[in-house]
Amino acid sequence: MANGYTGKVLRVNLTDGQIAVETPPESFYRRYLGGHGFVGYYLLNEVPCGADPLGPDNLLIFAGGATTGVPVAGGGRSSVGGKSPLTGLYGEAEAGGFFGAEMRMAGFDAIVIRGRAQEPVYLWVHDGEAEIRRAKHLWGLTTLECRRALQQELGDPRVRLAMIGPAGEMLSPLACIMHDVKHAAGRTGMGAVMGSKNLKAIAARGQTAIPIASPDDLKALARWMRDNWRSKAERLHDSGTAGGVMELNDFGALPTRNFQDGRFAGAEKISGQTMRDTILIDRGGCYACPIRCKRVVSVDDAEYHVDPEYGGPEYETIGAVGSNCGVDDLRAISKANELCNAYGLDTISTGMMVSFAMECYEAGLLTPADTDGIDLRFGNAAAMVQMIERIGKRQGLGDLLAQGPRVAAARIGRGAEQYALHVKGQPLPMHECRNRHGQALGYAVSPTGADHMHNFWDESMRREPVDRELQAFGVYTSLPPNELNVDKVRAYAHVSSWTWLDNQLGMCMFVPWTVDQLVQLVNAVTGWQTNVFELQLAAQRALTVARAFNLREGLTRADDALPARMATPFKSGSINERPVDPAVLDRHMSVFYGIMGWDPQTGVPTLATLQRLDLEWVAPHLGL
Amino acid sequence: MANGYTGKVLRVNLTDGQIAVETPPESFYRRYLGGHGFVGYYLLNEVPCGADPLGPDNLLIFAGGATTGVPVAGGGRSSVGGKSPLTGLYGEAEAGGFFGAEMRMAGFDAIVIRGRAQEPVYLWVHDGEAEIRRAKHLWGLTTLECRRALQQELGDPRVRLAMIGPAGEMLSPLACIMHDVKHAAGRTGMGAVMGSKNLKAIAARGQTAIPIASPDDLKALARWMRDNWRSKAERLHDSGTAGGVMELNDFGALPTRNFQDGRFAGAEKISGQTMRDTILIDRGGCYACPIRCKRVVSVDDAEYHVDPEYGGPEYETIGAVGSNCGVDDLRAISKANELCNAYGLDTISTGMMVSFAMECYEAGLLTPADTDGIDLRFGNAAAMVQMIERIGKRQGLGDLLAQGPRVAAARIGRGAEQYALHVKGQPLPMHECRNRHGQALGYAVSPTGADHMHNFWDESMRREPVDRELQAFGVYTSLPPNELNVDKVRAYAHVSSWTWLDNQLGMCMFVPWTVDQLVQLVNAVTGWQTNVFELQLAAQRALTVARAFNLREGLTRADDALPARMATPFKSGSINERPVDPAVLDRHMSVFYGIMGWDPQTGVPTLATLQRLDLEWVAPHLGL
């Protein structure tokens, strides 16, 4: 390998306290890239089949990618993965912020943790070294309390943290891993995996510069984006990820009252623009990014006090605890955001558990006796906030909801399953798919269950100009949003592969890099002469490994399905939507499997596909 | 489609004289690109299953690609295709020179000819117009005579021609189509298809500039290559395509005496360097190319007179009528080259028919009675030249040999088949595959039969630096030349797809464009934002269409096989070679099929692959 682009992987066994450093060959980096690619590799290779997600055999993998920590817009992201306690399958989430960058500057491209500490510990990673430290005094703390304690203990206010709150300690599959209290690696319950290992936090600090093959090329790209992002991402800066609330609402794609509707009367009150004009006090960003789409809000009135340290709500949060709970009070939404960040709860899954409970309540499946008297109707902002607090503390009904949609719906019974909107156990994120059928397919087939980080947007490809990017992936016909056809499935396969790539590189999907620029960026960092073809191979390789992991753990085609509600119309009348006919989805599932090189009937990657993707080692895991 | 990159296709029906002009949509260009891509599309769509290659239902398709006629190094090439009379399958050949460029400047990206004229005609294409003209007076002429006649008749010495000589008129499947007397579209017998249509020539002249989306980008690329080609292609200029004869000979890869050996005692006497120092009087080139790898030789002595108008021998010719016939006399080789160009014979197939006959003769299967007394031993230069003349005129044994290896071997019988070295009926070109097993696979699976234009070179990828280019196609391990493994098959599939792409674009494989530069070139011309991924899709699309055509015409897996000799060692001892074990080849054939998305057992493209490649229209042709 020409350039020698390699780094170090830290191995930590919490059971016996052993720590080791590995230096994988460059070909490993080039095949798997990092992030989601590393996660799948380690999970399939090293987690025994059938392992308990909350047992010592599970791994917890923190992994940056080629662009994580690189001083360029969007380079602040990293992944964390393990077998998911929410789905029992491939689990992985990404977060922005600064932790991933700091982990790499502390000397490690990835940290692979196995085993389980006897008592609470944290991991202190700095300047190429790592030590396991006692954390009994941190156990039970909120994330902000934990951060303050560790900053003091380590004597460095600039230490960066990945940590869990009480929710993770209490093994809720809704628990996320918080980076520095306001950046969440939200989905698939990785906080519970961390909690199960008795690992409260990883603290990272380092000054090792990430090696850059062509600093001048990198600087030119960084400069270009610094000077040009506004033309494509001004709204993100101005109004945050919630800047599109009104657009979604107008289109009928704003999840409302547990996805019963696509339009919410209170939409304007919870929009990013309203937030900007009311409670916003500052904008935040991730490592090296000029766009600064993160919100910092302050609320301090008779009803709510929201600490600006916890940032402010993203669109996903606004949807999940706002419109989807029928709540139009930005203060309550911000409070819910704070609570989730403090307890270490995924705002999407948590909001969806509340909206699920609200619908159960309105349907009479839950009563005030179940809710300790809380009037859990849609639109009751205070009830939503109270319920989140209970989920965080696993109190009362909160203890049940904290166990995720499958367990909660089964316990409530009497048809509650119809209100539990999830795929493979993971609640839907805030993207209506009845008017975006490509996304419906994406929800159904994503290895993590319903996921907005592993999908594509029918109506507006994320990079402009849309048409040209689609054509560059071999799609030459227009794709109406509310239908499925072979062209759209092909587009989904090719374009979503490219989207997944962001999660291998540690790149933010919001930064409007063109396809070509992203290739240039990887080349500037690595010194490779890579191209869209090789990167698409790498993306499909990672997706295929994740698929293989899931199949090994028992996934079948029947699991690649949507909640029944997606096949029904909106409650209060049609707004652009077209229910997703399960038979049509199923037919196009076969097409998707085939296009991915998986058996069109079973969805099992073929041996030929493993050979095409340089994945022959996967064959035995699939019995091939 | 954003840019509007489109052009015109000329349709000519020689049976009824109808002429029409079509303007395909841009998506057609983007899906098929041109050249080989257009050929497959028209053949599969429009030639009836089982059509006689020499009947009026066959098509003859002249097609440039995006870079044909573009003023940049390598842009002088174009394709001509039809169902092959040599193989009964997908037929296609490419040529450099100037005709393709002139055809496009005359207004047509492609000319699709069907039917059969009552009597000899030629087609006169100029400035967006076309007319069918009588050619009785041209019938029987050599290519040079035909050119002179047409230049005079059309009153323009700069008219460019694609034409046949007497060999095509007499329907020999060894017949090629000559462009301007010294550039041959050699393989698969397209000259016979042209002859069967009573079409002597296409004359083209025009001044329509080929539309260029980004002239400045194009100029920058052209300038770069003009200033830099010497560092990578100096030997091509200096010594022509035969500049590597000694290297091949040292490695044991110079086909010698009908592939009995890999090293030839007279190699140095026939090398490009010797040619340069003896009979070379000038260098020639193709449209817009600074490399000028073409030879112009002059011989005028007691034994041989060679007209410089016919250029000079390429490596393929030197191998086929030289070392492979045991001939070490550059004058005789040049004479053979002149005769082939004059009669319109493919020098490879023709040389191979002579070497076949020589081995039959030495084995006693042919006697002086069969050869009219010619002593047809290996090394007899005069005999080789005489036999080529007879093949061109279809006289005596030449009439039999002119019918190609299958017919000739069957007629001679008594085991002659073992000396007829061909794949699917097409004789091997001058590349030994026993020390380059990737190429062995390439010979076996190419839709045109054994072909050097549709292959890849194990020991030296054609673009430098080799390693980096291989990695960019997802191959991360080294590939020993004389073995097959899954990595090599994957490399073959990915890299040879890229090579085929040249034949869709009208780009010369000898011009050392990097992968990235070729993408830039296509973008500069078309205004697309294409990339390696989309172009690889296009290449695999074209290959899959060609495969589908062959399958429809009855091809089976058994046809993807090498001549038995490739499984045997060299006659006079080992030189790096390792006979190609048919079982090993067969095993890797399945791997290749699978990697291409074809059924690993049958080699039939799967429906999923058709869907992936936007080729659903092909399914009915395969009964899918």
Side-chain angles (χ1 to χ4, degrees), chain B residues 4-29:
Chain B
Y5 176 81
T6 57
K8 291 178 180 163
V9 172
L10 180 67
R11 295 283 201 155
V12 178
N13 186 332
L14 290 174
T15 301
D16 60 14
Q18 286 213 340
I19 290 178
V21 175
E22 290 175 356
T23 52
E26 185 171 20
S27 59
F28 177 73
Y29 282 85

Side-chain angles (χ1 to χ4, degrees), chain A residues 125-326:
Chain A
V125 176
H126 57 98
D127 306 303
E129 293 181 13
E131 50 186 305
I132 300 168
R133 290 186 167 203
R134 298 185 60 180
K136 252 188 170 165
H137 56 301
L138 304 174
W139 209 248
L141 299 187
T142 64
T143 54
L144 189 56
E145 291 164 348
C146 179
R147 184 175 74 171
R148 285 177 180 147
L150 280 172
Q151 283 174 336
Q152 194 165 29
E153 178 169 331
L154 296 168
D156 188 345
R158 300 183 61 189
V159 69
R160 297 294 182 181
L161 300 169
M163 62 192 151
I164 55 174
E169 296 172 13
M170 289 187 284
L171 309 181
S172 167
L174 311 184
C176 64
I177 294 176
M178 294 303 299
H179 291 187
D180 299 331
V181 317
K182 57 186 174 185
H183 304 279
R187 310 307 317 269
T188 70
M190 291 299 105
V193 177
M194 196 160 171
S196 77
K197 298 195 172 306
N198 264 324
L199 181 64
K200 177 69 178 178
I202 302 178
R205 190 79 180 96
Q207 265 112 45
T208 312
I210 291 161
I212 304 296
S214 305
D216 290 345
D217 291 349
L218 182 70
K219 272 178 212 149
L221 285 160
R223 206 177 303 124
W224 187 93
M225 188 54 79
R226 189 197 62 204
D227 296 341
N228 290 279
W229 66 265
R230 281 188 187 273
S231 65
K232 296 180 175 179
E234 173 63 26
R235 194 177 74 183
L236 267 176
H237 172 77
D238 177 69
S239 311
T241 52
V245 161
M246 290 312 295
E247 242 172 57
L248 288 171
N249 193 57
D250 290 346
F251 191 70
L254 184 66
T256 299
R257 290 181 292 277
N258 205 34
F259 281 85
Q260 291 181 89
D261 276 311
R263 210 172 264 178
F264 179 50
E268 192 156 9
K269 293 168 75 179
I270 62 172
S271 72
Q273 289 73 16
T274 299
M275 195 192 331
R276 176 197 63 200
D277 298 338
T278 55
I279 60 176
L280 191 76
I281 60 165
D282 198 3
R283 293 178 172 85
C286 299
Y287 178 80
C289 189
I291 300 179
R292 297 177 67 78
C293 71
K294 303 282 179 177
R295 307 290 92 176
V296 182
V297 302
S298 174
V299 177
D300 195 7
D301 58 27
E303 280 178 283
Y304 298 107
H305 173 80
V306 177
D307 187 342
E309 287 280 340
Y310 281 113
E314 300 264 359
Y315 166 70
E316 294 296 328
T317 309
I318 285 176
V321 304
S323 58
N324 200 51
C325 289

Side-chain angles (χ1 to χ4, degrees), chain B residues 96-243:
Chain B
F98 300 82
F99 173 78
E102 198 75 26
M103 173 178 75
R104 289 196 77 199
M105 289 187 278
F108 301 107
D109 295 331
I111 301 175
V112 181
I113 298 159
R114 66 173 67 238
R116 174 194 171 92
Q118 292 278 354
E119 51 181 33
V121 296
Y122 73 96
L123 186 67
W124 170 219
V125 176
H126 57 98
D127 307 304
E129 294 182 13
E131 52 185 302
I132 299 167
R133 292 186 164 203
R134 298 185 60 180
K136 253 190 170 162
H137 57 299
L138 305 174
W139 211 248
L141 299 187
T142 64
T143 54
L144 190 56
E145 291 163 349
C146 179
R147 183 175 76 170
R148 285 176 179 147
L150 280 172
Q151 283 173 336
Q152 194 163 32
E153 180 170 330
L154 297 168
D156 188 344
R158 298 185 61 187
V159 69
R160 297 294 182 181
L161 300 168
M163 63 192 149
I164 56 173
E169 297 172 12
M170 288 187 284
L171 307 181
S172 166
L174 310 184
C176 63
I177 294 175
M178 294 303 300
H179 292 188
D180 299 331
V181 319
K182 57 187 174 184
H183 304 279
R187 310 308 317 268
T188 70
M190 290 301 106
V193 176
M194 195 158 172
S196 75
K197 300 198 171 304
N198 266 324
L199 181 64
K200 177 68 178 178
I202 301 178
R205 190 79 178 96
Q207 265 112 43
T208 312
I210 291 161
I212 304 295
S214 306
D216 290 345
D217 290 350
L218 182 71
K219 272 178 212 149
L221 284 160
R223 205 177 304 122
W224 187 92
M225 189 54 80
R226 188 197 65 205
D227 296 341
N228 289 279
W229 64 265
R230 281 187 187 274
S231 66
K232 295 179 175 180
E234 171 64 27
R235 194 177 75 184
L236 267 175
H237 172 77
D238 177 69
S239 311
T241 52

